[in-house]
Amino acid sequence: MNFFLKGLSFFLIVLNVSFADSSEPKEDSPIDWQITHPLHQLHYASHYLYGLSTAPFGNALYAIDAEKGKIEWKFQAGDFDGELVVGSNHILYAIDHHFLYLNLINLQGQLLKRIYLGDIIKLATHLNSMIIDHFHQLLLVTTSNGDVLAFNLSGELKWIKRHEAIDAATHLIVTHNQLWFQTKHTIYSLQPENGQVITRRAYGEDLQNMLVSRKNLILVSGTAKKTKIHAYDVQAPTKIMWMVNYPYLTDVALDHTQNILYVTVQKTEDPLSQNKLYALDATSSKILWQTSLTHQPLKMTLSNNHILIHIITERNLSGYLQVVQKNNHDKQMRCYKNGSLGFIADDKNQFYFYGSTLGRFKQGSC
């Protein structure tokens, strides 16, 4: 969820503005295991969970056996306040946003390389985002000063390009053999091999999110009450394909395999409005189906078979998960774990929670 949506969620929590359609959970859902290690990020890969903790909880990277809930190893160095990505080359990449370090760690928890980027990006105050381009075998990083850096997967710098200063909510996407990134008002596409600009397109309003489907560049813009989604031809970003309005939109997510755009909206003061999840054809914007949500949605996470929606109740209880099956949206599950900040799923349809604690819901209870 981008910076705008995080701010909206926090604003609603502080002001105690939320709406509920059904009863709230009275106790935590059954779990298989639980670890009392606060994490702010969690990833699943090959039967293991990899999570980052931050101060005052130790600034560490953890590897946990997903089946047993056992901590296999803990790596502690620097300030892991940045992002973590898991490479297909069995290397973990972690960036320190403010200390400007890139860390390469193997799956046994050993530091392979620690690269200080401050000498390369002297005017940048922090690192923004990081992704892996698996096709070109590149690690791509953006900075607060508008730099885009490309490393090979061994951590060697291949190229660096500077553009306008990038907003902290930058989205960085590799698709269609292009690297796309978003600033507050501008979209760029670059050649991954050398960083040369293919397309630069300025927009006259604040951009909140960016997604790239099979045929369209999809942008989210506007304010909380007047949010719109507009799509442009990915080969010609000046050609608009469709535009729809979704007031009080809270999150968007794109299923690339099925080419479906998921949109969540929250209930308003209008008695006819509802907390809802919409599934749209990403090429045409046609609504394929829609379903009501029990409470106000905050953010979404997609797994192979499910849509995981973090919702908040009328008493501002977070840690509440509503799961919608992609191929049968009438089949839904709900579970709750107090203090959770987020949820993910593995390839066996097991659901995990993280935040003040880390654990796995018992299968069938959610």
Side-chain angles (χ1 to χ4, degrees), residues 155-220:
E156 298 171 347
L157 183 66
K158 304 298 290 184
W159 53 260
I160 178 172
K161 297 292 180 181
R162 176 159 295 159
H163 305 277
E164 63 183 282
I166 300 177
D167 184 87
T170 297
H171 290 79
L172 192 60
I173 300 172
V174 175
T175 187
H176 299 290
N177 199 30
Q178 296 179 40
L179 167 64
W180 295 84
F181 72 89
Q182 165 207 329
T183 72
K184 190 174 183 179
H185 299 102
T186 308
I187 298 294
Y188 292 88
S189 67
L190 309 178
Q191 294 178 355
E193 300 93 335
N194 54 29
Q196 295 300 313
V197 175
I198 301 171
T199 304
R200 180 185 183 277
R201 174 78 161 89
Y203 297 86
E205 54 191 344
D206 289 355
L207 300 175
Q208 312 299 344
N209 207 334
M210 173 185 69
L211 307 129
V212 182
S213 69
R214 295 173 186 171
K215 295 184 178 181
N216 293 333
L217 170 67
I218 300 172
L219 304 176
V220 180

Side-chain angles (χ1 to χ4, degrees), residues 50-101:
Y50 299 98
L52 289 179
S53 67
T54 55
F57 304 109
N59 298 328
L61 169 63
Y62 292 88
I64 302 105
D65 184 310
E67 184 62 32
K68 301 175 182 178
K70 176 186 175 184
I71 297 176
E72 293 294 321
W73 52 259
K74 172 184 175 182
F75 179 85
Q76 191 160 352
D79 179 13
F80 287 127
D81 66 343
E83 292 196 33
L84 171 70
V85 296
V86 183
S88 58
N89 57 342
H90 307 295
I91 295 178
L92 305 171
Y93 301 88
I95 55 174
D96 301 337
H97 274 179
H98 296 93
F99 288 87
L100 307 181
Y101 280 99

Side-chain angles (χ1 to χ4, degrees), residues 96-102 115-118 121 124-127:
D96 301 337
H97 274 179
H98 296 93
F99 288 87
L100 307 181
Y101 280 99
L102 170 63
I115 307 167
Y116 178 59
L117 304 182
I121 47 175
T125 58
H126 63 272
L127 305 175

Side-chain angles (χ1 to χ4, degrees), residues 139-159:
L139 180 74
L140 299 152
V141 180
T142 64
T143 78
S144 60
N145 198 50
D147 305 300
V148 181
L149 297 86
F151 301 86
N152 66 21
L153 297 186
S154 298
E156 298 171 347
L157 183 66
K158 304 298 290 184
W159 53 260

